[in-house]
Amino acid sequence: MEKILVSYQEKLPSETIRPADAEKLAVVTIDGPAGAGKSTVSRILAERLRFDYVDTGAMYRVVAVRAKDSHIDPHDDGALERLCRQLDISFQRDGEEWRVFESGEDLTATIRAPEISMLASKTSARPAVRAAMTELQRRLGQKGRAVFEGRDMGTVVFPKAAAKLFLIADIQSRSERRFLELKDSSGNLTLDRVAADMKQRDHNDQTRPVAPLRPPEDALIVDSTNLTINQVVEKMLDFINKKMN
Ligand code: DC
């Protein structure tokens, strides 16, 4: 298995990396609600641009898995902060796929369980968790040449990103997409349950006081409801090329 990019780790640096430091970096951000196709599109964009790809949702999901393992109350900021500072998260590319590890354990499948999705939505709203992840993400971003996928990449983490994208789709197509992804691994899942969970998570993500999900002012907003993946990618590449040249 080829290990490229992201092995970042251990103690967070003592000095905080400020957004201004991210200026002029060749960073592309892609934000938007769950199920709009962000991950698929981000991976293709990264490949076409020959950039690294960072799935920041996976980072928040790893926090949720480890909080659950350690029986941490999702509202206990102190315990969550200590947890985040101990995490050793890394991504490894495995063909088309990106695998995510924490302290050497492969959590790629574990982080996708519906229970973890819901827990991640709660723990990712906690200021202590957001501060720790933001810092790690900015540290990674200093290398440049990366596509960062998440909810607050263009608004908070990289306000000076070279190109910002925001991908949306209607709730029906987003839930159908997520249902198809999950139905093999989660036997008793129904489309209604996926849609209800998704609405709840949209609400959590959009109404949290810290870094709520919203489009950056200078983003290209793309609605994937009636577009193919290729059409979405081409629109975005066109925008990125204009922004970066
Ligand atoms: O994109 P995802 O569904 O894998 O994200 C998992 C959770 O983490 C989701 O509730 C939103 C949250 N998240 C976030 O708050 N900020 C990010 N940059 C990425 C994800």
Side-chain angles (χ1 to χ4, degrees):
M1 196 191 298
E2 181 197 2
K3 179 163 183 167
I4 48 173
L5 148 92
V6 210
S7 185
Y8 53 101
Q9 150 34 41
E10 72 251 67
K11 309 266 180 299
L12 294 171
S14 50
E15 82 284 14
T16 303
I17 298 163
R18 295 179 312 281
D21 300 332
E23 206 160 359
K24 296 193 186 72
L25 284 182
V27 164
V28 171
T29 62
I30 171 160
D31 296 300
K38 283 195 308 290
S39 298
T40 308
V41 166
S42 305
R43 278 191 201 118
I44 300 173
L45 283 179
E47 235 154 64
R48 296 274 296 267
L49 295 163
R50 298 186 185 282
F51 277 21
D52 288 328
Y53 161 61
V54 183
D55 174 1
T56 64
M59 296 168 68
Y60 284 100
R61 287 169 178 272
V62 166
V63 173
V65 170
R66 291 311 192 210
K68 178 172 173 265
D69 291 348
S70 306
H71 308 288
I72 292 173
D73 175 340
H75 301 101
D76 184 344
D77 272 333
L80 286 169
E81 185 172 358
R82 284 191 295 281
L83 172 79
C84 286
R85 285 175 189 279
Q86 284 161 10
L87 294 177
D88 174 7
I89 306 174
S90 61
F91 292 101
Q92 287 185 19
R93 190 188 187 127
D94 181 14
E96 298 276 279
E97 217 189 340
W98 285 85
R99 309 199 72 80
V100 61
F101 294 79
E102 198 289 307
S103 296
E105 187 185 354
D106 187 344
L107 297 179
T108 313
T110 314
I111 61 168
R112 299 292 158 200
E115 182 198 3
I116 294 301
S117 301
M118 202 46 87
L119 187 58
S121 180
K122 287 188 189 137
T123 51
S124 66
R126 304 310 304 175
V129 174
R130 299 215 72 81
M133 293 302 115
T134 296
E135 194 147 343
L136 284 176
Q137 289 151 8
R138 285 188 183 147
R139 190 138 60 102
L140 281 175
Q142 288 195 315
K143 282 172 61 187
R145 298 187 63 83
V147 174
F148 279 83
E149 179 208 333
R151 299 291 191 289
D152 61 340
M153 294 298 107
T155 48
V156 174
V157 181
F158 299 110
K160 300 276 167 64
K164 300 180 187 178
L165 304 156
F166 197 81
L167 187 61
I168 55 172
D170 65 22
I171 184 78
Q172 176 77 11
S173 60
R174 292 196 288 125
S175 341
E176 279 167 10
R177 189 193 316 257
R178 196 41 58 90
F179 177 65
L180 289 176
E181 280 168 14
L182 290 172
K183 74 175 180 359
D184 292 337
S185 52
S186 309
N188 51 2
L189 208 62
T190 63
L191 181 58
D192 284 350
R193 158 91 198 278
V194 172
D197 278 4
M198 200 166 254
K199 280 186 194 152
Q200 179 63 53
R201 291 173 55 208
D202 282 356
H203 178 78
N204 293 354
D205 292 346
Q206 286 160 3
T207 58
R208 69 184 173 216
V210 189
L213 173 66
R214 61 178 173 79
E217 267 169 27
D218 45 352
L220 175 74
I221 301 178
V222 178
D223 184 339
S224 67
T225 310
N226 296 309
L227 296 179
T228 63
I229 289 169
N230 264 350
Q231 288 171 322
V232 171
V233 167
E234 292 307 325
K235 256 180 199 281
M236 290 183 167
L237 280 174
D238 201 42
F239 177 78
I240 294 166
N241 285 332
K242 283 191 190 122
K243 283 283 187 178
M244 289 194 157
N245 289 326

